[in-house]
Amino acid sequence: MTKAIKLLTALPPPQRQRLMGLAREVSFPEDTRIFEAGGTADRFWVIRSGAVSLDQRVTSIQRVTVASLGSGDLLGWSWLFPPYQWDFGAEAFSPVRAYEFDAAAVLRLCEEDPGLGMSLVRHVAEILAHRLELTRGRLMEQYGHQRRSAL
């Protein structure tokens, strides 16, 4: 299994400092919808404190939590890949403080500093791989539980 990494601590200090030059501190009250699946992905966050639930709508009224994120976790990666739309929804599970990054500004910075761009993409890919493994494990547990219950 891949190891969980925290984006800001994974970047070398000079790259982290350049990225943090674009950070803006924000907060979300508990139960705030941060974004919806299908919406325009034009920013991302690194959570400083609190908890965020990533969810997927399965019916017009039901959402299923696919991941829970906390301090140091990256919230949002769809800004990095076309069509730049959120794949999931996100909601503040508790009061949240975060660093917010404008995607266009970060992408310009990555073009100016290809080393930073490569490092950022590599670390986001590692985070995605880890979350994919966690989701796969949850699905296997759920499927196995349902299958055992049916027998």
Side-chain angles (χ1 to χ4, degrees), residues 24 27 41 56 64 69 72-73 118 121 123 125 130 141-142 149:
R24 180 173 85 94
S27 60
Q56 183 68 53
V64 173
L69 306 178
D73 285 334
M118 183 59 154
V121 169
H123 292 306
H130 179 72
E141 287 174 11
Q142 181 67 28
S149 297

Side-chain angles (χ1 to χ4, degrees), residues 140-151:
M140 295 293 280
E141 287 174 11
Q142 181 67 28
Y143 176 75
H145 174 69
Q146 287 177 352
R147 186 174 168 99
R148 283 188 298 276
S149 297
L151 295 177

Side-chain angles (χ1 to χ4, degrees), residues 45-58:
W45 301 264
V46 174
I47 300 169
R48 296 179 58 213
S49 65
V52 173
S53 298
L54 290 178
D55 57 50
Q56 183 68 53
R57 186 177 292 278
V58 292

Side-chain angles (χ1 to χ4, degrees), residues 3-12 16 19 45-48 50 68-75 119-120 122-124 126-128 130-131 134:
K3 182 180 99 178
I5 67 165
K6 307 294 184 183
L7 180 65
L8 294 179
T9 56
L11 291 171
R16 180 173 50 248
L19 182 63
W45 301 264
V46 174
I47 300 169
R48 296 179 58 213
S68 296
L69 306 178
S71 181
D73 285 334
L74 171 68
L75 172 60
S119 186
L120 185 63
R122 189 180 86 239
H123 292 306
V124 170
E126 287 178 35
I127 291 166
L128 291 175
H130 179 72
R131 289 189 189 161
L134 290 176

